[in-house]
Amino acid sequence: MVASVTYYYYDKRTKAKKKKWESGYTPESAELRKKEIEYLMKKGEFIAPDETTVEEMAWEWLDTMAVQKKFAPETYYGYESAIKNHILPHIGSRPVQSVTAKEIDQLFVTLAKTQKGTFVNGVRVKPQEEDTLDQGKYLSSSTLRDIYFAVKPIFDMAVKYELISKSPVQCEIPKKADTERAYWTDDLVKEALQHLEERPLLHLIIHRIFYGSLRSGEAAAITLECINLGKKQVLIDKTLQRVTKAALQKVPRDSIIKIFPNVGSKKDPKSCMILKRPKTKKSTRIMFLSDPLVQEIRKRIEHIQMQKELLGEEYHDHGLLLCLPNGDPIEPKLILEWFVKWQKESGLYFPELPVHGIRHSATQYKLEVGEGDIKAVQGENGHSSAKMVVDVYSHVSDARRQVLHDKMDADFYSRKEEAARKNEELFSNMLQAMMANGDSQGIFLNSIMQSPEMQKTLLAALFTSQKK
């Protein structure tokens, strides 16, 4: 016999009293369910039925956090992409209350086997393909972690809003793959700069990124007013980024310094470039300049003045040190394209490196030159934590290991040889004393009793003779 349970509840969203009918129970289980509901209602812990979907909850969470956490446009866009392309296609239409921990576990199993670019703006653009041994085709561990850090707070908010009593996201955070970041030694960077002299603008970009441990967005954002050639300093206090206009409308504007008109090498009506303040206070820092960099920047400023005079009103003066011939900003993606293309055309056969790898190379070099002064390198990089320097940027190069072993050789083996020399000298002095004295046997035994070093020497000699 099939029984049902009927009860009334208060809908928090519509603010209306509603009737709920649950079926599929046996008479015994229906009675237990009824008592359970009455008990939870009495304690104020009853979770009323709610049809809010994961998609609705996701957008509510994102828009709320964008304001509360003051998301930067790129942060908003990152979460938006994770929601559209990796969460909604799988569980977006499901009511939040119906999603189980098992389904969340299965979601990440599915995502780990999903190839990159399968969904774009929430629409599948790739058919389901067979498994491949090429792990590079699948979503990376970093992407899986980004998805986790989006889906977990969505369900945490559902708990906060009392739509569910417990989050179904009970799985562990996907582990981040330990990938070795490529970098160039200081000798390779020096050689690269020599070959870049025929391309002054790219030379200045790479030179400054290396010497100042800059991010490409920081390098592209430097304005002339922040440069003090007399003191040989540059204030790093902003970054340049391309962001979607949709994301820009969703986030607070207090960190944004300037929104550029639709300019640049690649115009996109759905996006724009912005100057914004860094994410953390420690990212704002002073970059010190070398004499060669001072001269190079001075030449660049002279070139900019020539371009202004040449183009007149057609020159777009945004006050940038790095800019296109007409003054428009150079977005970081374009810097990357220039650098990658130059590497392919240079014929130097260096390890292939993204432009961020120059910053990585600078960090590695500064750790070596500074003999491991992590706090100083943290200040150079503008990291909020020294742990970032240790965990991500610090490598143990073969050259440094060789220096370490040379020091070990000089210390360890020389101490052993010095001890042997002293023992031989002690033994020789004792023998001379015995020969000069009549009671040679007594002196010899007494010397052994009084000298632990002599005892070790004698035992070693006996041991050696027995082996022979």
Side-chain angles (χ1 to χ4, degrees), residues 179-351:
T179 54
E180 189 76 9
R181 296 195 179 193
Y183 71 98
W184 288 349
T185 64
D186 55 303
D187 288 334
L188 289 181
V189 174
K190 191 181 298 183
E191 187 176 351
L193 288 173
Q194 290 174 350
H195 284 81
L196 277 168
E197 287 179 354
E198 296 180 356
R199 301 188 59 177
L201 184 55
L202 186 56
H203 184 283
L204 176 58
I205 293 171
I206 301 304
H207 193 182
R208 286 174 55 249
I209 288 176
F210 179 77
Y211 198 82
S213 300
L214 302 180
R215 303 172 179 90
S216 56
E218 292 173 333
I222 291 175
T223 51
L224 299 179
E225 63 185 4
C226 292
I227 301 171
N228 189 325
L229 296 181
K231 291 185 177 181
K232 298 198 294 188
Q233 294 179 355
V234 175
L235 176 62
I236 307 300
D237 66 345
K238 48 190 169 292
T239 186
L240 187 145
Q241 298 170 342
R242 180 174 285 280
V243 299
T244 65
K245 292 180 179 179
L248 197 59
Q249 296 297 320
K250 296 285 187 176
V251 300
R253 300 289 187 94
D254 52 348
S255 66
I256 298 172
I257 301 169
K258 180 172 184 173
I259 301 174
F260 292 95
N262 194 12
V263 297
S265 60
K266 295 181 178 179
K267 297 181 180 181
D268 180 1
K270 294 184 179 181
S271 68
C272 60
M273 282 186 280
I274 63 169
L275 277 181
K276 65 178 290 291
R277 294 182 181 86
K279 289 189 293 185
T280 64
K281 291 182 179 180
K282 289 190 177 180
S283 290
T284 297
R285 61 200 186 277
I286 294 293
M287 172 187 170
F288 299 99
L289 300 175
S290 63
D291 289 335
L293 260 176
V294 168
Q295 295 302 319
E296 194 169 1
I297 291 174
R298 183 172 283 120
K299 289 181 180 179
R300 173 63 188 168
I301 293 174
E302 292 173 356
H303 179 77
I304 290 173
Q305 187 58 38
M306 290 175 57
Q307 289 296 114
K308 287 182 182 180
E309 295 174 1
L310 180 65
L311 296 179
E313 294 182 357
E314 294 182 5
Y315 187 87
H316 305 151
D317 192 357
H318 300 293
L320 295 168
L321 177 67
L322 300 181
C323 55
L324 297 173
N326 66 349
D328 285 345
I330 301 174
E331 60 183 295
K333 187 176 180 180
L334 183 58
I335 293 175
L336 172 61
E337 291 176 2
W338 287 351
F339 186 55
V340 170
K341 183 179 180 181
W342 172 79
Q343 288 180 79
K344 292 178 179 179
E345 296 174 348
S346 66
L348 294 177
Y349 302 105
F350 286 1

Side-chain angles (χ1 to χ4, degrees), residues 61-185:
W61 168 79
L62 182 58
D63 289 344
T64 301
M65 290 300 103
V67 176
Q68 290 185 1
K69 299 288 186 180
K70 294 188 175 182
F71 282 168
E74 72 273 16
T75 304
Y76 185 95
Y77 178 73
Y79 280 125
E80 182 184 45
S81 296
I83 291 170
K84 278 185 178 180
N85 299 322
H86 307 302
I87 298 175
L88 301 190
H90 300 284
I91 60 172
S93 61
R94 296 287 305 284
V96 169
Q97 291 185 343
S98 70
V99 179
T100 65
K102 184 177 180 179
E103 288 175 304
I104 295 296
D105 288 345
Q106 187 57 47
L107 170 65
F108 281 96
V109 170
T110 300
L111 291 171
K113 297 178 180 180
T114 300
Q115 297 195 29
K116 297 176 181 177
T118 299
F119 292 90
V120 175
N121 290 322
V123 178
R124 179 184 284 276
V125 296
K126 279 185 179 181
Q128 189 69 39
E129 298 181 18
E130 295 182 358
D131 291 347
T132 173
L133 295 177
D134 184 2
Q135 293 300 312
K137 287 188 176 183
Y138 295 112
L139 297 178
S140 68
S141 60
S142 294
T143 299
L144 293 178
R145 286 170 65 86
D146 291 342
I147 297 167
Y148 178 89
F149 290 124
V151 75
K152 186 177 187 306
I154 289 170
F155 283 96
D156 287 344
M157 178 173 274
V159 173
K160 178 182 176 181
Y161 289 176
E162 298 181 352
L163 298 181
I164 53 177
S165 59
K166 183 180 179 181
S167 171
V169 185
Q170 301 296 318
C171 58
E172 294 184 1
I173 303 172
K175 291 184 178 180
K176 193 172 184 178
D178 294 327
T179 54
E180 189 76 9
R181 296 195 179 193
Y183 71 98
W184 288 349
T185 64

Side-chain angles (χ1 to χ4, degrees), residues 180-193 206-215 339 342-343 350-370 377 380-381 383 389 392-397 400:
E180 189 76 9
R181 296 195 179 193
Y183 71 98
W184 288 349
T185 64
D186 55 303
D187 288 334
L188 289 181
V189 174
K190 191 181 298 183
E191 187 176 351
L193 288 173
I206 301 304
H207 193 182
R208 286 174 55 249
I209 288 176
F210 179 77
Y211 198 82
S213 300
L214 302 180
R215 303 172 179 90
F339 186 55
W342 172 79
Q343 288 180 79
F350 286 1
E352 188 173 337
L353 203 67
V355 71
H356 190 76
I358 295 297
R359 170 176 156 89
H360 190 48
S361 303
T363 304
Q364 175 66 18
Y365 177 59
K366 289 173 182 179
L367 282 169
E368 294 180 7
V369 172
V377 175
E380 283 283 289
N381 285 19
H383 282 130
V389 178
V392 179
Y393 288 94
S394 179
H395 295 281
V396 180
S397 66
R400 289 171 67 192

